[in-house]
Amino acid sequence: MEHRIIAIGRQFGSGGHEIASRLSEELGVSMYDRDLVEMAAEKLGLSEITVEAVDESIFNTFLSAYRYNGFAPRRIPLNDSTFETQSKIIENLAKKGPCIFVGRCADYVLRDNPLCLNLFVYASLKDRTERIMKRYHISKKEAEASIKKMDRRRKQYYETYTDRTWGSIESHKILFNISQLGITQTIDTIKHLYNNPN
C-alpha cells in the first residue's frame, strides 16, 4: 500500500521541530527526530550520549573513534557508522507506513521515493534568535552563537553525506520561509500537499 513520507530539513531555531510535531499530531502519523539517535545507539551497541555527539555533525572529537565493520578488516569512523545506521533505520521506517523525519539527511536517504515530500524550513536571523532565546533562556549573544554553530554543523554534515547544498532549492522540493508565512500557515500548506499529492 502506498503511503506518504515527509522529510524536513531546517535551520536551527526556524521552528522545524515544532512544525514536525504539530504535523505529526494533526495528520496522525509518527514523527522521528531524536528517536533516531536512540535507535542508532541501540543498533550500534553504544550509549545515546556517544551517538548524539556525532549525530548531524562531523565536527567532533569522537571522529577519532572507530568501530569495526562486522568481520571486515576495515574500520569505519563512528560518524560514518552512525550515518549509515540511521539511514537504514530511516529506510525501514519509511517502508512500514506514513511518517515524518526531521533532519538526518532523510530527504537524501529517501531521494528515490516518489511519495516523499521533501522540504526545508528557514527563517530570519532575528526570528530564530528570539525563538532560541525564549526556548533555552539564554542571551541574544549566546543564541546567535548557537545558531551559527548549529547551522555550520548541519550544513557540513548534510553536504558531506549528500554531495548537495544544504537548504538550496536544488536540494529540496520546497522551501518555507517561516518569517513570511508563519508556523500555522506553513503547517496548513504542508498538510494540503500531503493530502493532495497530485
Side-chain angles (χ1 to χ4, degrees), residues 167-187:
S168 72
I169 194 65
E170 290 80 17
S171 302
H172 308 280
K173 292 180 181 177
I174 308 171
L175 306 183
F176 287 95
N177 184 339
I178 304 306
S179 295
Q180 296 292 326
L181 293 171
I183 296 285
T184 300
Q185 188 174 340
T186 298
I187 290 171

Side-chain angles (χ1 to χ4, degrees), residues 13 66 96 125 134 137 144-145 182 189:
Y66 284 79
K96 292 180 178 179
L125 178 59
K134 182 177 181 181
H137 307 290
E144 289 177 342
T189 302

Side-chain angles (χ1 to χ4, degrees), residues 50-65:
T50 300
V51 173
E52 186 172 25
V54 297
D55 179 56
E56 289 199 307
S57 173
I58 65 167
F59 297 107
N60 203 280
T61 55
F62 280 98
L63 290 181
S64 61

Side-chain angles (χ1 to χ4, degrees), residues 12-155:
F12 185 59
S14 63
H17 180 83
E18 179 183 347
I19 289 169
S21 181
R22 287 178 55 181
L23 280 170
S24 173
E25 183 177 340
E26 294 180 27
L27 292 172
V29 301
S30 299
M31 179 190 83
Y32 299 100
D33 189 351
R34 278 191 44 78
D35 315 63
L36 295 170
V37 174
E38 300 169 12
M39 295 177 187
E42 184 177 353
K43 287 280 187 182
L44 292 167
L46 300 169
S47 71
E48 288 181 28
I49 295 175
T50 300
V51 173
E52 186 172 25
V54 297
D55 179 56
E56 289 199 307
S57 173
I58 65 167
F59 297 107
N60 203 280
T61 55
F62 280 98
L63 290 181
S64 61
Y66 284 79
R67 287 186 54 76
Y68 282 101
N69 180 27
F71 296 102
R74 72 187 183 96
R75 297 195 300 173
I76 304 176
L78 184 54
N79 59 308
D80 290 349
S81 181
T82 299
F83 173 76
E84 291 175 8
T85 300
Q86 285 190 342
S87 295
K88 290 176 183 176
I89 292 171
I90 288 170
E91 290 173 347
N92 289 333
L93 290 171
K95 291 176 183 176
K96 292 180 178 179
C99 56
I100 301 168
F101 295 106
V102 181
R104 282 79 189 180
C105 303
D107 61 291
Y108 180 78
V109 174
L110 301 174
R111 62 192 179 280
D112 294 327
N113 185 335
L115 295 178
C116 178
L117 179 57
N118 156 20
L119 55 97
F120 189 87
V121 174
Y122 66 103
S124 69
L125 178 59
K126 176 178 179 293
D127 289 348
R128 292 195 290 150
T129 299
E130 290 176 356
R131 182 175 284 109
I132 294 302
M133 288 172 63
K134 182 177 181 181
R135 180 176 180 181
Y136 296 104
H137 307 290
I138 58 178
S139 69
K140 179 180 179 181
K141 183 177 181 180
E142 291 172 320
E144 289 177 342
S146 295
I147 288 170
K148 184 177 180 180
K149 176 182 177 181
M150 289 300 294
D151 279 356
R152 184 176 67 247
R153 284 179 56 169
R154 289 176 179 175
K155 175 181 172 65

